[in-house]
Amino acid sequence: MTGIEIIATTSSIGAEIRGIDMATASDEEFQLIQWALLEHHVVFLRGQHLDDEAHEAFARRWGDPIPNPIVAKLEAPVAIGVVYNDAEHPPGQDNEGWHTDHSWASYIPDIAILRSVTAPPNGGDTMWCNIAAAHEALSPALRDFLSELTARHDPGPRFALEMRARMPADVADQLLEAFPGTDHPVIVRHPVTDRPGIFVNPGYTRWINDVTPAESAVLLELLFKAIAHPDHVCRFRWQEGDVAIWDEHATLHRGPNDFAPARRELRRFTVGAAEPSAA
Ligand SMILES: [Fe+2]
């Protein structure tokens, strides 16, 4: 393995891997990508220019691609997810906050592999934060208190509107019934490294259970501030053909709405499905 470089984006999160062609990566190179992901939580491989088949073939080296839980309920589920925006399809105004993908379901993906098909000329970056580093920055007393708590996650106030706008009424009703929201521990344990991390997000977490509404609001505000602290965040500027791979159990991500009305297309496979477990 000569000519491979791993360049950390920050000391807390992110690394660019240079010198590996994902389409032809050897087992040794693949293991290096896996190691780098555990170490850096999100890794970037530029200029890969994969097509859907090569993207899926790479994803399968981690395990079976799992469709989004909503898509999985449809008659013909497809594993690939497409994020597409242009002047007629502007990015959402209220759903782009920090989140773990579909934390409103009982399970979350292990890994997400996202590639850029069309990059906007300006903006359209993606950001990730390190939930274990954010947890470590809290005081031991607060960490102990939070470790006993669970929080409610749901798909959000616009979920019903969106489902009814996009699906036949009976399918929308079934989906609304299937995903009423779920509870997860506020502090979760990483399934491989055992590191504890903060598992609430402004995208999908509604309240913390077993405390008063006022206490929940204050705690969530504090935790949302903790996860978004610039010390634990990295940001990636996409160029066409680039790939980002992230660990859903170690990070949250968000995409600022700063590129409309330009066209942007990203395609994604997620692999694995695990219920977040308490630290
Ligand atoms: Fe996402």
Side-chain angles (χ1 to χ4, degrees), residues 57-276:
F58 181 81
R60 284 191 182 283
R61 297 180 80 162
W62 302 82
D64 280 343
I66 308 272
N68 175 297
I70 296 173
V71 176
K73 295 265 179 212
L74 302 179
E75 250 170 51
V78 283
I80 195 163
V82 179
V83 183
Y84 180 81
N85 300 111
D86 62 16
E88 277 80 52
H89 308 87
Q93 293 304 303
D94 57 359
N95 61 354
E96 301 298 311
W98 290 107
H99 64 281
T100 304
D101 287 317
H102 53 78
S103 74
W104 38 262
S106 56
Y107 63 90
I108 62 164
D110 291 328
I111 305 287
I113 305 165
L114 184 67
R115 81 178 205 267
S116 168
V117 177
T118 307
N122 311 99
D125 298 358
T126 305
M127 300 162 74
W128 288 264
C129 69
N130 178 342
I131 64 170
H135 177 259
E136 266 164 34
L138 302 175
S139 67
L142 185 58
R143 294 198 302 241
D144 275 358
F145 169 67
L146 293 170
S147 68
E148 302 294 320
L149 297 174
T150 60
R152 189 73 176 168
H153 297 238
D154 73 29
R158 294 180 58 82
F159 185 57
L161 275 177
E162 279 172 23
M163 290 302 106
R164 293 206 165 101
R166 284 193 215 167
M167 317 267 176
D170 56 329
V171 180
D173 285 346
Q174 280 167 24
L175 291 171
L176 293 172
E177 213 170 287
F179 301 108
T182 189
D183 290 341
H184 290 300
V186 169
I187 308 299
V188 293
R189 184 179 55 78
H190 189 279
V192 178
T193 65
D194 273 348
R195 280 182 85 184
I198 297 173
F199 196 74
V200 293
N201 67 75
Y204 303 130
T205 309
R206 301 295 155 227
W207 64 78
I208 293 181
N209 295 311
D210 303 319
V211 296
T212 69
E215 289 166 345
S216 166
V218 170
L219 284 168
L220 284 179
E221 193 188 341
L222 184 151
L223 292 172
F224 294 162
K225 222 182 236 180
I227 54 171
H229 193 287
D231 287 1
H232 323 304
V233 170
C234 73
R235 184 169 184 137
F236 185 62
R237 163 59 50 97
W238 292 98
Q239 289 167 356
E240 286 169 18
D242 292 348
V243 175
I245 306 169
W246 67 94
D247 180 338
E248 296 269 4
H249 297 285
T251 60
L252 303 174
H253 58 278
R254 70 174 297 175
N257 292 333
D258 58 359
F259 61 97
R263 204 151 76 89
R264 181 177 79 162
E265 181 173 346
L266 297 157
R267 292 182 165 235
R268 189 179 74 175
F269 283 96
T270 56
V271 180
E275 220 169 291

